[in-house]
Amino acid sequence: MKSEQADTPGVVIVGAGHSGGRAAERLRAFGYDKPITVIGQESHRPYERPPLSKAVLTAKAPVEPPFLLTDDKWTALQVKFLPNTSCLSIDRATTTVTLSTGVRLAYEKLVLATGLAPGSIPQLSLNDRGICCVNAFDDAALLRSHLHEANNVVIVGAGFIGLEVAASARQLGAAVTIIEIADRPLQRMLPMHLSNWIADWHRDRGVDIRCGRRIASHKPDEECHLVTLDDDSELKADLIVIGIGGKPRVDLAARAGLCVNNGVTVDAQCRSSDRNIYAIGDIAHHHPGHGRYSRRLESWKNAEDSAAIAAKDICGEPARYDQIPWFWTDQFGNNLQMTGEIPDHADIYERGRIGESGYLAFYTQEEQLIGAFGIDCGGDIRKARGHIEKSRPVTRAILDKAGLSLKISPNVSAAEELSA
Ligand SMILES: Cc1cc2nc3c(=O)[nH]c(=O)nc-3n(C[C@H](O)[C@H](O)[C@H](O)COP(=O)(O)OP(=O)(O)OC[C@H]3O[C@@H](n4cnc5c(N)ncnc54)[C@H](O)[C@@H]3O)c2cc1C
């Protein structure tokens, strides 16, 4: 075992993805001048994942990874970047990590940014030709090469990634079927009316969505895969995409004895149960009592915010994670955005017609704005986020300014008061 010890061990970041790369960048921006080491399983320096299911797939020619920073900016950070290297274990007693290269590395502060472990389907092997996923850039590049040739695409999973791949595949002219085990797309993330609308929206654009179904069996073939569903229906596909999302990679943290519960449990400074170890991005589970939302978020914005909060705290600056969730997705040339929480039982104020560009919905409870959804109206969603952040009551003036009027109210008296 080789041991590497700089004058001061500095910060070691495990995971060279979005939040890991952003944490390195933010540390330097906040003035951190000690060594930073970034350990990454992949061969690429940090890049952003959202384009993988969209622009990377539809690009006419192969593209570069959508890097988080330009080459010059990445070099200017003066981080020690170890690509193609996995962190295997953490020894909290000696504050060291052991790498797949056999090196043992000391840390003063450790930042875990290991993202999601892709989900798998027992009947489908990624080693078979024509079965792809879209978790990392190399997966997306391979999928792109197949997608441009494919006629019949089967996508497993109607979460955002599966839906985005479906929209990309339709844009390229393929027939698309989505298999979804739940009763409706995006069941965990959206209320019934919105996820039903998304299903119809895709169906109107030629996507065959089969909800409440799972794959019973699969026969691999060079030319054509035969997929049988649990209702005995059969589908032929020249390309199958596994788009079922993943689970937070918490094995390192769990083996090191950190508190883990659907992610690494962190406080408002993104610190784990060990003050020297932070967890950011998709794996960070914000503990109840730290910030207004207690949950784990899988989003671009959360990767940005949690990386900045951890970097600030390491630099000794006051920092508190209290961000309003915000997510966007691009499908069929439209940009859908949502912020806050969108529960099933809320008063809904709407502008325009759902499905049309410019549609906006505010979700309120007890005269407080709790969430918003919009199509091609990022500016309105940004304003909504500001109202939620400041816990401003929703007044008639705010609704009028955004052109919103009451659509549905399970709570008629509150709504009547507002519309008076
Ligand atoms: C296809 C796709 C499309 C998306 N689209 C959107 C979108 O439209 N809008 C949105 O808001 N969000 C979107 N997201 C989500 C967003 O990209 C993620 O939330 C974000 O990338 C999370 O950042 P992260 O740093 O936690 O994880 P990642 O960016 O996934 O990085 C984790 C990195 O850690 C590495 N790693 C893991 N274990 C180890 C180890 N032991 N040692 C060394 N390295 C390790 C992995 O190889 C990986 O490179 C999308 C995600 C995907 C996959």
Side-chain angles (χ1 to χ4, degrees):
M1 172 94 44
K2 295 165 267 174
S3 246
E4 280 194 6
Q5 186 74 57
D7 294 345
T8 161
V11 173
V12 171
I13 300 173
V14 180
H18 185 158
S19 66
R22 183 58 75 204
E25 187 270 331
R26 290 287 85 195
L27 278 165
R28 290 293 186 235
F30 298 138
Y32 189 80
D33 59 4
K34 295 186 204 168
I36 300 174
T37 307
V38 180
I39 302 159
Q41 255 172 11
E42 296 179 57
S43 59
H44 308 289
R45 69 175 196 265
Y47 59 85
E48 298 185 35
R49 279 170 157 73
L52 303 189
S53 42
K54 315 170 185 83
V56 169
L57 297 183
T58 52
K60 287 205 170 88
V63 291
E64 284 264 279
F67 291 119
L68 191 62
L69 299 172
T70 61
D71 211 356
D72 288 351
K73 284 190 175 153
W74 178 243
T75 308
L77 293 183
Q78 298 198 331
V79 301
K80 185 172 179 186
F81 174 42
L82 304 177
N84 303 309
T85 306
S86 295
C87 175
L88 301 181
S89 62
I90 305 166
D91 185 339
R92 289 165 57 199
T94 58
T95 57
T96 55
V97 291
T98 301
L99 309 184
S100 52
T101 48
V103 166
R104 201 158 68 192
L105 209 60
Y107 64 82
E108 205 172 315
K109 300 286 180 194
L110 180 66
V111 179
L112 299 178
T114 48
L116 301 182
S120 59
I121 308 271
Q123 295 84 355
L124 301 176
S125 165
L126 287 169
N127 295 325
D128 287 340
R129 197 186 134 71
I131 302 188
C132 293
C133 66
V134 63
N135 303 297
F137 176 76
D138 291 347
D139 305 323
L142 178 67
L143 173 57
R144 181 200 159 277
S145 67
H146 287 294
L147 204 53
H148 283 248
E149 308 287 313
N151 293 313
N152 292 295
V153 180
V154 166
I155 298 168
V156 188
F160 276 113
I161 290 173
L163 293 168
E164 286 176 350
V165 174
S168 299
R170 289 296 299 141
Q171 189 180 327
L172 294 170
V176 177
T177 306
I178 303 183
I179 318 293
E180 168 58 51
I181 198 167
D183 292 342
R184 54 190 170 92
L186 296 161
Q187 196 177 45
R188 276 185 305 139
M189 209 170 160
L190 291 183
M192 177 99 78
H193 71 281
L194 276 183
S195 65
N196 285 341
W197 165 71
I198 284 204
D200 290 342
W201 192 54
H202 271 256
R203 286 185 180 121
D204 289 348
R205 282 151 186 77
V207 180
D208 178 1
I209 302 191
R210 315 256 182 116
C211 291
R213 295 269 75 90
R214 61 172 78 219
I215 293 182
S217 67
H218 160 250
K219 274 195 206 142
D221 194 300
E222 270 293 299
E223 296 299 319
C224 179
H225 298 265
L226 182 67
V227 175
T228 307
L229 304 187
D230 56 355
D231 61 355
D232 292 332
S233 57
E234 289 184 336
L235 297 166
K236 285 187 175 164
D238 41 16
L239 177 62
I240 301 177
V241 185
I242 304 176
I244 57 169
K247 289 213 164 93
R249 278 197 190 98
V250 293
D251 44 330
L252 271 179
R255 277 189 273 117
L258 300 180
C259 184
V260 163
N261 171 19
N262 177 32
V264 181
T265 306
V266 294
D267 65 12
Q269 286 71 40
C270 295
R271 291 178 304 205
S272 72
S273 48
D274 179 328
R275 285 292 163 111
N276 292 321
I277 305 181
Y278 294 72
I280 58 175
D282 285 357
I283 61 164
H285 187 166
H286 298 272
H287 192 264
H290 296 287
R292 71 182 99 184
Y293 299 96
S294 156
R295 61 162 79 147
R296 200 174 57 73
L297 294 166
E298 296 170 10
S299 74
W300 182 95
K301 178 89 167 68
N302 175 58
E304 289 279 314
D305 293 338
S306 58
I309 296 290
K312 262 193 177 172
D313 195 66
I314 290 170
C315 293
E317 288 190 30
R320 188 173 169 75
Y321 187 98
D322 197 10
Q323 305 297 324
I324 309 300
W326 174 63
F327 188 87
W328 91 90
T329 172
D330 293 320
Q331 298 174 38
F332 301 116
N334 290 116
N335 172 259
L336 315 185
Q337 291 196 19
M338 57 221 73
T339 189
E341 295 191 286
I342 309 187
D344 267 314
H345 301 290
D347 296 335
I348 307 176
Y349 292 84
E350 279 190 328
R351 179 185 74 200
R353 281 181 50 172
I354 190 153
E356 287 176 1
S357 186
Y359 171 82
L360 178 67
F362 273 17
Y363 297 81
T364 71
Q365 260 173 1
E366 293 170 6
E367 295 167 43
Q368 292 287 319
L369 183 62
I370 52 167
F373 171 82
I375 303 176
D376 302 328
C377 52
D380 292 301
I381 297 291
R382 200 173 318 115
K383 281 184 202 144
R385 215 165 72 214
H387 294 316
I388 300 171
E389 207 160 59
K390 296 188 175 74
S391 303
R392 277 194 198 123
V394 191
T395 60
R396 191 67 259 169
I398 288 176
L399 295 170
D400 285 347
K401 204 166 172 198
L404 291 151
S405 48
L406 183 66
K407 166 80 185 311
I408 297 170
S409 175
N411 178 9
V412 176
S413 56
E416 274 170 356
E417 258 174 52
L418 270 175
S419 35

